Amino acid sequence: MRPSGRAPDQMRDIEMIPGFSAHAEGSCLVKFGQTHVLVTASVEERVPPFLRGQGKGWVTAEYGMLPRATHTRGSREAAKGKQSGRTQEIQRLIGRSLRAVTNLTALGERQITLDCDVIQADGGTRTASISGAWVALRLALDTIHKTAPFATDPLAQQVAAISCGVWQGTPVLDLDYIEDSGADTDANFVLTGDGGMVELQATAEGAPYDEETLLRMLRLARIGCAEVFNAQLVATGRA
């Protein structure tokens, strides 16, 4: 039995609230159970120096946790003067995941920054961030299209992410904090709407895992992402 009482293939409750921020071109408050992340998409009519004059745009991400997002207060990274290695790794993952499904040439010479701020953490903050970032990006592109129509939609398809793991010998879907902190194996899957894989992070925290266990977690991830994909379509008015 999982600590939450969920079945091995059961997700936490998902909620995606689009347009949560009044000022951002696109935004989404995403909730996976007790993990809550606010994602905003900000559009700038310029690109980083390494892309100037190339006729293509850029999608990037920043990630952070509010001081009391966890059980005990964490120091603000801005106060420390530098980001942790974990923060840098997660925001690069988010950026890679969204660029994988974005046609940067169709975007034109503009940059979209996805700010993912964890309000409350209970496991799976990076996967919730990626899933919510797609909604915020989709809405930002819709905003641009109203005044400067795209010849080709820059967002080729959906992308979502979910965690899986091995809890007390059983592969399970969508780990919360208790499971994540005590899992024998912890994995994050980033999948596309057409069945492709963008990234897989799988680590043996206890005993090593075998190929069959990895495949079982992948099958669970596909079940979970199918639910996330549907929630994304509902949030963006495309269901």
Side-chain angles (χ1 to χ4, degrees), residues 38-49:
L38 173 60
V39 186
T40 57
S42 301
V43 180
E44 298 175 276
E45 297 297 325
R46 62 182 180 86
V47 292

Side-chain angles (χ1 to χ4, degrees), residues 75-134:
S75 299
R76 295 182 188 273
E77 292 187 336
K80 297 179 181 178
K82 65 177 183 179
Q83 292 179 314
S84 69
R86 176 182 180 274
T87 294
Q88 294 181 55
E89 185 263 325
I90 290 176
Q91 62 190 29
R92 288 169 183 162
L93 170 65
I94 299 167
R96 288 195 303 271
S97 300
L98 274 297
R99 287 194 297 272
V101 295
T102 303
N103 182 333
L104 297 177
T105 300
L107 180 59
E109 291 201 9
R110 53 174 61 92
Q111 175 171 284
I112 300 180
T113 302
L114 299 161
D115 287 295
C116 304
D117 292 294
V118 180
I119 298 172
Q120 184 170 282
D122 186 34
T125 61
R126 73 185 67 194
T127 53
S129 294
I130 292 168
S131 300
W134 185 89

Side-chain angles (χ1 to χ4, degrees), residues 1-7 10-12 167 174 176 178-179:
M1 179 65 70
R2 302 176 69 175
S4 63
R6 288 182 287 145
Q10 184 179 354
M11 293 275 289
R12 292 175 288 182
W167 167 260
D174 191 22
D176 56 28
I178 293 176
E179 293 172 329

Side-chain angles (χ1 to χ4, degrees), residues 1-234:
M1 179 65 70
R2 302 176 69 175
S4 63
R6 288 182 287 145
D9 62 351
Q10 184 179 354
M11 293 275 289
R12 292 175 288 182
D13 292 335
I14 300 175
E15 184 177 7
M16 293 185 172
I17 304 173
F20 191 83
S21 173
H23 305 296
E25 286 81 1
S27 66
C28 176
L29 176 63
V30 56
K31 301 180 181 181
F32 277 52
Q34 294 302 310
T35 289
H36 303 168
V37 184
L38 173 60
V39 186
T40 57
S42 301
V43 180
E44 298 175 276
E45 297 297 325
R46 62 182 180 86
V47 292
F50 71 90
L51 281 177
R52 287 176 188 163
Q54 296 186 33
K56 61 174 62 175
W58 190 244
V59 176
T60 187
E62 294 190 11
Y63 168 95
M65 297 182 70
L66 296 185
R68 202 54 204 272
T70 54
H71 295 89
T72 57
R73 186 184 186 277
S75 299
R76 295 182 188 273
E77 292 187 336
K80 297 179 181 178
K82 65 177 183 179
Q83 292 179 314
S84 69
R86 176 182 180 274
T87 294
Q88 294 181 55
E89 185 263 325
I90 290 176
Q91 62 190 29
R92 288 169 183 162
L93 170 65
I94 299 167
R96 288 195 303 271
S97 300
L98 274 297
R99 287 194 297 272
V101 295
T102 303
N103 182 333
L104 297 177
T105 300
L107 180 59
E109 291 201 9
R110 53 174 61 92
Q111 175 171 284
I112 300 180
T113 302
L114 299 161
D115 287 295
C116 304
D117 292 294
V118 180
I119 298 172
Q120 184 170 282
D122 186 34
T125 61
R126 73 185 67 194
T127 53
S129 294
I130 292 168
S131 300
W134 185 89
V135 174
L137 178 59
R138 175 71 275 170
L139 295 176
L141 293 172
D142 291 346
T143 298
I144 296 170
H145 187 69
K146 291 176 182 177
T147 56
F150 294 109
T152 301
D153 188 352
L155 201 50
Q157 59 184 306
Q158 290 174 263
V159 68
I162 199 68
S163 65
C164 296
V166 178
W167 167 260
Q168 296 185 351
T170 300
V172 295
L173 174 64
D174 191 22
L175 279 62
D176 56 28
Y177 176 76
I178 293 176
E179 293 172 329
D180 187 30
S181 60
D184 293 326
T185 300
D186 179 21
N188 298 299
F189 294 85
V190 184
L191 308 178
T192 62
D194 66 354
M197 290 185 284
V198 174
E199 191 150 344
L200 162 62
Q201 302 174 333
T203 304
E205 304 286 355
Y209 57 91
D210 57 20
E211 183 177 350
E212 176 56 31
T213 300
L214 179 61
L215 292 174
R216 289 175 67 185
M217 289 193 292
L218 175 58
R219 288 192 287 270
L220 288 171
R222 293 199 183 280
I223 291 171
C225 279
E227 189 171 334
V228 179
F229 289 141
N230 183 66
Q232 290 176 331
L233 294 178
V234 171

